[in-house]
Amino acid sequence: MSDTPEIQLLSGRTVLVAGATGGIGEGMTLALLQQGATVVAVGRSEERLAKLAAYTGDAGPGTLLTHPADVGAPDSQAVRDQLSRYGPLDGAVVTIGDWGSPERTGILDLSDAEWEAMIASNLTSHFHALRALTPLLSPSGALVHLSGFSAEIPYPFAALVGATNAAKKSLVRSLTAELGGNGPRVYELIIGPVRTRPRAAIGADSPQWYSADDLGRHVGRLVAGSGPYAEAPLQYLVTPAHGIRTTPPL
């Protein structure tokens, strides 16, 4: 375990956050800046990236760089060409995702169009992101991917979210096996509900959840190779009460 103070943990390291303008990505970016990283915040909207920069302006000793790009686009080489100026990266975090429509629909009532749209936005995009970002990482770097706990449990009337989370988990676990230790470390984090600013704004908040900042601090330690979970490629952060686990909480 490193004895480096938390505020200096990522000093001199560059970490890319894909989906940085989302609720989790925003907290992730903030925490990584507080740990001293140079954070490359990537999102599809220049306007939202500007708002992120304003929000994190005095976050800490790290440096924020913003770059508009769609890491889930099909042309992975074009994405790599755009982002290669920041590499080789010490870390990359994939926080993109789609929780689907608020209208809950049973499996038997789903249309082909709904199925195909969710597969594209919540699975294929992640495949593209992994293909684009992994080669940008230093061999000693770390790729961190987040999936929801619905990867592990039945998710009635939102089965597409659960199915794509389970498939993403399998995809990342297979990437870990394929690399076999010859390349960046790959982590799959299975998360529960997360406290974010957008959720709090609509009243969806609970002190019993991890915050996006909490996740960001943990990711920083993984990038630094620090702490007891640095060697665990699959981790569960469902609630603080359960703690960080390497097996699903009962």
Side-chain angles (χ1 to χ4, degrees), residues 23-151:
I24 293 177
E26 174 188 87
M28 192 80 62
T29 299
L30 185 70
L32 294 170
L33 289 169
Q34 291 170 341
Q35 291 173 317
T38 294
V39 179
V40 181
V42 178
R44 292 177 293 182
S45 166
E46 291 191 43
E47 180 181 357
R48 293 181 68 182
L49 285 169
K51 290 180 179 178
L52 174 68
Y55 173 66
T56 61
D58 298 320
T63 301
L64 179 69
L65 306 173
T66 61
H67 190 110
D70 181 3
V71 298
D75 191 342
S76 297
Q77 184 59 55
V79 174
R80 282 196 296 274
D81 290 345
Q82 285 187 60
L83 300 175
S84 60
R85 71 186 73 174
Y86 306 109
L89 299 167
D90 300 292
V93 189
V94 180
T95 67
I96 62 177
D98 185 346
W99 290 102
S101 168
E103 298 295 327
R104 298 310 188 189
T105 306
I107 293 171
L108 303 183
D109 296 318
L110 286 167
S111 68
D112 286 357
E114 290 171 309
W115 170 270
E116 290 164 4
M118 180 58 86
I119 295 297
S121 63
N122 210 41
L123 179 57
T124 304
S125 63
H126 288 254
F127 160 61
H128 290 154
L130 294 173
R131 189 173 64 183
L133 298 179
T134 305
L136 295 176
L137 283 154
S138 161
S140 61
L143 177 96
V144 184
H145 180 271
L146 280 66
S147 295
F149 192 53
S150 59

Side-chain angles (χ1 to χ4, degrees), residues 94-250:
V94 180
T95 67
I96 62 177
D98 185 346
W99 290 102
S101 168
E103 298 295 327
R104 298 310 188 189
T105 306
I107 293 171
L108 303 183
D109 296 318
L110 286 167
S111 68
D112 286 357
E114 290 171 309
W115 170 270
E116 290 164 4
M118 180 58 86
I119 295 297
S121 63
N122 210 41
L123 179 57
T124 304
S125 63
H126 288 254
F127 160 61
H128 290 154
L130 294 173
R131 189 173 64 183
L133 298 179
T134 305
L136 295 176
L137 283 154
S138 161
S140 61
L143 177 96
V144 184
H145 180 271
L146 280 66
S147 295
F149 192 53
S150 59
E152 304 286 337
I153 59 174
Y155 209 26
F157 303 102
L160 279 182
V161 175
T164 49
N165 273 323
K168 288 186 295 182
K169 175 191 172 187
S170 178
L171 190 67
V172 176
R173 299 290 286 139
S174 294
L175 176 61
T176 302
E178 289 176 7
L179 291 175
N182 297 313
R185 291 165 286 129
V186 178
Y187 298 98
E188 172 74 344
L189 304 188
I190 306 297
I191 61 174
V194 178
R195 304 182 74 183
T196 66
R197 286 204 309 153
R199 279 189 166 181
I202 62 171
D205 190 34
S206 170
Q208 298 179 10
W209 300 346
Y210 279 112
S211 72
D213 298 25
D214 292 334
L215 297 183
R217 284 186 286 273
H218 181 65
V219 166
R221 296 181 197 111
L222 296 180
V223 171
S226 172
Y229 296 98
E231 303 303 320
L234 176 61
Q235 302 177 25
Y236 293 82
L237 291 86
V238 179
T239 68
H242 289 105
I244 302 168
R245 302 173 54 98
T246 56
T247 58
L250 298 177

